[in-house]
Amino acid sequence: MKLLEERIRRDGKVYAGDVLKVDSFLNHQIDVELLSLLGKEFYRLFGDCGVNKILTVEASGIGIACVAAQSFHCPVLFAKKSKTSNIGNDFWSATAHSYTHGNDNTLIVSKSYLGKNDRVLILDDFLANGCAALAMSELCAQAGASVAGIGVVIEKAYQKGGALLREKGFRVESLARVASMSPEEGIRFCD
Ligand code: 5GP
């Protein structure tokens, strides 16, 4: 989406360690009007896939998931990051390595809210190495839910996540694909 690319180019800041900060409109302060357009774009891409639930992970996926859900007319389920791996029998759980914090998180969702009748759209703010999306797909597999696709706002296409998920057969749609970025040379998008 050109609008999103322009906004990233204008307001995004590239940090060492391959981290793109978009705190002014996506990850800290939220431009709800922009997110509303992004949500509608996800609906244009996945609206005919029978989605009845959007799954994301706390905290930064929740905003985009909620605005998208207004178009899909379905609930949002966000995976919580558990402090302990010993979380009992009422949860589906999967481990994800955190790209930004460098630690492993156990993602959990209640068995009450994810089951075999669910057709899930996985949404997240960023796609880097694919750990978060893969863990969410694992939660769906445990629950017997089917995955309609994976939508991300910003894919860093030079990192391995996109290829990994597509190789596994998931349909992955990104609203902006970063081809390369560095503090010196800025951000370049895929054609
Ligand atoms: P992955 O699990 O695909 O390696 O990384 C995706 C997750 O890490 C996203 O949920 C996002 O919160 C975080 N992340 C990865 N790369 C970036 C980045 O460049 N900037 C920010 N703000 N978050 C990122």
Side-chain angles (χ1 to χ4, degrees):
M1 274 178 91
K2 279 281 160 248
L3 185 74
L4 176 61
E5 290 182 7
E6 280 162 18
R7 190 64 182 269
I8 295 168
R9 212 171 251 128
R10 198 186 79 190
D11 293 339
K13 293 190 172 56
V14 182
Y15 284 75
D18 270 321
V19 172
L20 174 60
K21 285 259 187 191
V22 283
D23 281 6
S24 65
F25 64 92
L26 183 64
N27 285 139
H28 190 25
Q29 174 170 266
I30 294 179
D31 182 338
V32 179
E33 284 179 15
L34 174 68
L35 257 64
S36 174
L37 297 174
L38 306 184
K40 289 189 175 85
E41 181 65 5
F42 282 129
Y43 185 72
R44 190 185 69 75
L45 292 163
F46 292 106
D48 60 355
C49 298
V51 170
N52 71 346
K53 196 155 290 185
I54 293 178
L55 176 63
T56 188
V57 61
E58 68 174 359
S60 50
I62 295 176
I64 182 60
C66 285
V67 292
Q70 288 185 302
S71 296
F72 286 88
H73 299 286
C74 74
V76 169
L77 178 63
F78 65 89
K80 298 186 179 191
K81 293 171 184 164
S82 168
K83 302 263 180 293
T84 160
S85 53
N86 178 23
I87 39 90
N89 293 326
D90 297 335
F91 295 91
W92 308 117
S93 71
T95 304
H97 185 76
S98 166
Y99 185 87
T100 39
H101 296 105
N103 59 325
D104 281 350
N105 287 311
T106 303
L107 302 188
I108 59 169
V109 296
S110 167
K111 289 183 179 175
S112 305
Y113 304 125
L114 190 63
K116 61 179 171 24
N117 295 325
D118 285 321
R119 177 111 178 113
V120 176
L121 174 62
I122 292 171
L123 288 186
D124 207 359
D125 57 344
F126 273 91
L127 175 58
N129 293 325
C131 298
L134 211 55
M136 286 191 271
S137 76
E138 211 177 303
L139 296 173
C140 292
Q142 288 172 19
S146 65
V147 176
I150 298 170
V152 293
V153 178
I154 303 171
E155 174 180 352
K156 290 181 288 177
Y158 60 93
Q159 294 183 306
K160 66 179 186 199
L164 185 87
L165 294 167
R166 291 178 180 104
E167 269 165 28
K168 287 185 180 291
F170 293 109
R171 176 181 167 199
V172 181
E173 300 282 358
S174 315
L175 304 189
R177 300 186 80 221
V178 175
S180 66
M181 63 180 203
S182 70
E184 299 76 30
E185 294 182 11
I187 302 164
R188 205 170 54 78
F189 292 97
C190 300
D191 291 332

